Amino acid sequence: MTLHQLTCFLSVYEEGSLTAAAARLGYAQPSVSEQVRNLEKTLGAELFRRAGRGVVATTVADDLRPHAERVLAAAQEARAAVASGVRLETGTIRFGMFGTARLYAGAGLVADVLARHPGVRVELIGQNSNEVSEDLRKGRLEAAMIAVPQLQSEGLDITPVARDELVYVSADPQRLESPVTPQRLATASLVMPETTFRAEDSVRMALRQWLHETGRNPQTRIEVEDVETAVELAGMGLADTVINRGAAEQLVPRLAPGAGWVSLRPKQYDTLAIVHRAGATLSPAARLMIELATARIQAIAEPVRPR
């Protein structure tokens, strides 16, 4: 049973004539007759009897009519829903974004989307870049913005769009008098977020590589999951931390007003990139999110222009 068969059936039912139904649909009359015969074969029942130049519906056709109408109406609604989604009028837009970036770009990104398409539903997915990358590989997400300390594809297309400076946050003014060198950082007492993902966290990976020349790794006194807690503890003077400057600008004045931050020497950066599966054909929704997320993050962090 096909939608085409049901369409022909309803037209014949309403017109009472194969010829009139064909004219209404813009088909040849033999084509309409064939569709009705095929539907009768599928159902194992006669739907129409000939009467002069027209046809008369059987009781089986009377029973089928409301079901056919509902099926065709549902199909039309489905087509309209898909078309609406393509036009970004309704539906759900999902986009991956690692936790720290959401702190200073997430709300603005959602506002940007809703300003253009107030009827859509928005989902920002992910806590850590590694987690978001895995969702991309498994097809749970079309596209995302993640931090990428080492630009390796592994089945993903990666386009760097910005870099965010890493800064040293402390409540001790003396520690903020000059940029922090690798030697100073190697002996610092630190609180670091992303403890679950510590092996893959982009900030920690950048710091480990930076400190390689000292032969040491950053020593953590306190491990926490979220950057907000790390900033609060730094503000209490219990430990210092290293986070993205964008996060520091948002969180330090609010959660640790007595603290400040200073650059590392030489300056170190987290690279932020748009990522999607290699060779993927992106939907209009994914392309929209990439455009808006790139504009939003480049207004906050230092843009990385394509070569």
Side-chain angles (χ1 to χ4, degrees):
M1 184 184 303
T2 68
L3 295 177
H4 188 39
Q5 290 171 356
L6 293 177
T7 298
C8 291
F9 158 74
L10 279 180
S11 292
V12 174
Y13 186 96
E14 292 166 2
E15 297 291 341
S17 163
L18 290 166
T19 302
R24 170 178 161 181
L25 295 171
Y27 301 150
Q29 189 269 340
S31 176
V32 174
S33 298
E34 181 181 8
Q35 294 302 315
V36 172
R37 283 196 302 271
N38 290 339
L39 182 57
E40 289 175 330
K41 289 179 182 178
T42 299
L43 297 173
E46 186 179 33
L47 296 174
F48 301 102
R49 296 190 182 94
R50 291 193 173 276
R53 295 186 177 181
V55 293
V56 176
T58 65
T59 57
V60 174
D62 291 334
D63 293 336
L64 176 62
R65 179 191 59 80
H67 298 286
E69 289 175 340
R70 284 195 293 270
V71 168
L72 293 176
Q76 180 58 36
E77 289 175 1
R79 283 192 290 266
V82 171
S84 181
V86 170
R87 294 192 299 271
L88 298 178
E89 294 175 0
T90 60
T92 297
I93 296 178
R94 304 178 79 238
F95 188 71
M97 187 170 255
F98 70 103
T100 302
R102 287 206 311 275
L103 292 173
Y104 50 98
L109 175 58
V110 172
D112 292 341
V113 175
L114 296 181
R116 289 199 190 186
H117 306 285
V120 302
R121 179 174 177 270
V122 182
E123 293 183 4
L124 291 184
I125 309 296
Q127 293 294 329
N128 176 271
S129 290
N130 191 61
E131 180 184 52
V132 173
S133 297
E134 192 62 24
D135 283 343
L136 284 166
R137 292 188 185 94
K138 292 182 177 180
R140 299 184 188 129
L141 290 170
E142 268 196 277
M145 174 176 285
I146 66 173
V148 283
Q150 297 175 342
L151 301 181
Q152 297 175 347
S153 63
E154 298 180 3
L156 300 175
D157 278 347
I158 299 176
T159 305
V161 294
R163 62 178 191 167
D164 197 3
E165 184 185 356
L166 301 182
V167 296
Y168 186 91
V169 179
S170 178
D172 185 342
Q174 291 184 344
R175 298 174 191 164
L176 304 177
E177 290 178 351
S178 61
V180 175
T181 63
Q183 290 75 19
R184 278 184 58 194
L185 186 66
T187 60
S189 178
L190 298 176
V191 52
M192 293 298 292
E194 302 285 359
T195 185
T196 295
F197 300 96
R198 68 182 75 178
E200 300 88 15
D201 175 53
S202 62
V203 171
R204 297 196 195 210
M205 292 177 72
L207 294 181
R208 284 196 294 268
Q209 185 175 1
W210 187 53
L211 291 186
H212 179 71
E213 64 184 73
T214 70
R216 300 182 62 177
N217 284 326
Q219 299 300 308
T220 57
R221 180 184 182 191
I222 306 170
E223 291 280 343
V224 296
E225 290 289 0
D226 58 277
V227 68
E228 293 96 332
T229 302
V231 169
E232 285 187 280
L233 291 169
M236 296 175 186
L238 298 177
D240 298 337
T241 190
V242 177
I243 61 175
N244 301 83
R245 181 170 184 142
E249 290 176 345
Q250 291 295 316
L251 297 178
V252 171
R254 178 162 53 92
L255 300 178
W261 65 83
V262 69
S263 296
L264 304 179
R265 179 184 291 160
K267 290 185 177 182
Q268 301 297 306
Y269 296 88
D270 221 2
T271 299
L272 310 179
I274 295 296
V275 186
H276 57 79
R277 283 188 294 172
T281 300
L282 298 176
S283 69
R287 293 196 298 271
L288 171 70
M289 293 302 285
I290 288 172
E291 173 196 343
L292 295 179
T294 299
R296 174 64 57 174
I297 208 71
Q298 287 184 341
I300 299 168
E302 180 181 332
V304 173
R305 303 300 181 188
R307 295 180 179 178

